[in-house]
Amino acid sequence: MGDEEVLEVLAAVRALAPALRERAPEAEAQRKVPGTSIKELEASGFFRLLQPKRYGGLAAHPAAFYSAVKEIAKACGSTGWVASVVGVHPWHVALYDVRAQDEVWGEDPHTRICSSYAPTCEVTPVEGGFRVTGAWHFSSGCDHADWALLGGMITDADGRPLDMRTFLVPRTDYTINDVWDTVGLRGTGSNDVVCEDVFVPEHRALSFGPVTALKTPGQEVNPEPLYKLPYAAVFTTTISTPVVGIAEGAYEAYVAATRERFRISYGQQVAEDPFAQVRIARAASDIDAAWLQLERNISDLYDLAVAGEELPMPLRTRTRRDQVLATERAVAAVDLLMENAGGSALRNKATNAVQRAWRDVHTGRGHAANDPERALVLFGQGALGLDIQDTML
C-alpha cells in the first residue's frame, strides 16, 4: 500500500469523513447517497483504486481499497456501503473482453457501474449474444451509475442450468424502479433495475466459469496481480468491510457519548460504570479482530498473486470463514453498545449515530454474502479433507 498516489487517495478519503458524517441524515432522508458525496469521492480518486491502469486507474493493493471503504463507512454507513459496492465493480469489469472495457471507459474513465448478481431474469441465446428480460433487486448506488452488471442463468430446453453469466448493460438499456425503503442502510438507494428484451453481445456476457478458474479475457490486457484474485474473496470482503467500518464508527460515537452521559437511575457517570467499560473492551476487541482478519487474508491472497503462485484452497476457505465472522463480530459489537446506549439513542433515528449504525449493520448482515453457515461449512469440509464444490471460493 506504499504507492504514493494510493496514499494520497487514502488521505483525501479521510479528509472527507466530517462532511460525509454530516450528510448521513440527508442520505437517509433521500434514501440514496447525496450526489455531492459521490462527486467528492470521485475527486478523491477513490473509484480509481481498483480500476485498471490502462484506463487511468491505480490497480492498487486491495487492502488499500478496503481501508478507504472502512473510513467512509465509519462516517456514514450508507455511503460506505455504496462506495464499497460501486467501487469494486471496476475490478469485475477489468475481467471482461477488452471491447466491453472500452465501451465502459473508452470515452469516460470516470464511468461508474452498479450491479445485481442474482439471476432473476430470462435469458435467450441469440446470434452474437443474448436477449435478457427481467427485474433485478437491491442494486446499491444505481442512481449514480451509467452501466449495470446483471446476473443471469442460461438453461437448456428443460430448464436445467448450463451457465451463469454476468451481463454488462448500459444505462440506456434499463430502467430503475424506486422501491428502496428500509429500516437500515436507508441511504444506499438499492433499487430495482429492469430490462425488457435487451440484446447483450457475447463480449459483454462474462461466464462464471473463467472467473472462478482465474482465467478471464480481461487478464490479457490487464496483467496486474489485482485481477488474479478470486471473485468470491474480493466481493464478499466488499460486503463485510463496510459493516466493520460502521461498527467502528458506532464504537467511536458510543465512547464519545459515554464520556459525558450521566445515568440518573443509578446516580453516576456512565463512564464510571464497570459494566459499560467491559462492553467497550469487548466491542473494541471484536471490531479489531474482524478487521485484522479481513486485511490479513486479502493481503495474503494478493501477495501470492504478485508472486505468480497458486492461491491454495485452505486460504480461500479461510478467507470466507473470516469474512462471515467479521460481519458477525461487527454486529455483535454494535449490539453490545446499543444495549447500553440509553433511551436517548432510540429517540431520533436520523441523528443518533449509534442507533443508525445498529440499524445499518443488521441490514447489511442480511446480504447473502454474510450467511455464516454456508461459508463456515466450506472451511470445515476442507479441514476434514472432504471435497469442496462451491462457486463462492
Side-chain angles (χ1 to χ4, degrees), residues 252-261 354:
E252 292 180 358
Y254 174 86
V255 170
T258 299
R259 289 191 179 116
E260 307 299 326
R261 269 184 66 206
V354 178

Side-chain angles (χ1 to χ4, degrees), residues 51 55 93 98-113 146-147 168 204:
Q51 186 180 26
Y55 297 103
V93 172
V98 68
R99 290 172 291 174
Q101 297 181 54
D102 284 344
E103 287 180 65
V104 174
W105 291 312
E107 294 184 3
D108 182 5
H110 300 295
T111 298
R112 291 182 293 273
I113 310 103
D146 293 311
W147 287 77
L168 182 59
R204 283 202 267 115

Side-chain angles (χ1 to χ4, degrees), residues 86-205:
V86 174
V88 79
H89 292 147
W91 178 89
H92 196 183
V93 172
L95 307 183
Y96 277 70
D97 185 291
V98 68
R99 290 172 291 174
Q101 297 181 54
D102 284 344
E103 287 180 65
V104 174
W105 291 312
E107 294 184 3
D108 182 5
H110 300 295
T111 298
R112 291 182 293 273
I113 310 103
C114 62
S115 72
S116 182
Y117 290 101
T120 57
C121 68
E122 295 180 6
V123 181
T124 304
V126 296
E127 184 178 355
F130 306 87
R131 301 203 77 87
V132 297
T133 296
W136 292 260
H137 311 301
F138 313 123
S139 184
S140 300
C142 57
D143 289 302
H144 302 294
D146 293 311
W147 287 77
L149 291 158
L150 305 173
M153 187 69 70
I154 299 171
T155 61
D156 63 16
D158 296 321
R160 289 187 293 262
L162 296 176
D163 189 16
M164 173 76 174
R165 298 258 181 154
T166 304
F167 301 99
L168 182 59
V169 181
R171 182 67 182 85
T172 52
D173 285 350
Y174 64 84
T175 58
I176 296 173
N177 286 349
D178 184 356
V179 297
W180 185 249
D181 189 2
T182 56
V183 67
L185 293 176
R186 285 184 56 80
T188 60
S190 302
N191 290 306
D192 290 358
V193 170
V194 180
C195 289
E196 294 287 348
D197 194 31
V198 170
F199 174 72
V200 182
E202 175 72 32
H203 68 270
R204 283 202 267 115

Side-chain angles (χ1 to χ4, degrees), residues 6 15 21 63 80 124 157 174 188 204 232 243 276 293 308 317 343 352 376:
V6 172
R21 187 176 296 110
T124 304
Y174 64 84
T188 60
R204 283 202 267 115
V243 177
Q293 287 188 316
T317 59
N352 188 279
L376 295 179

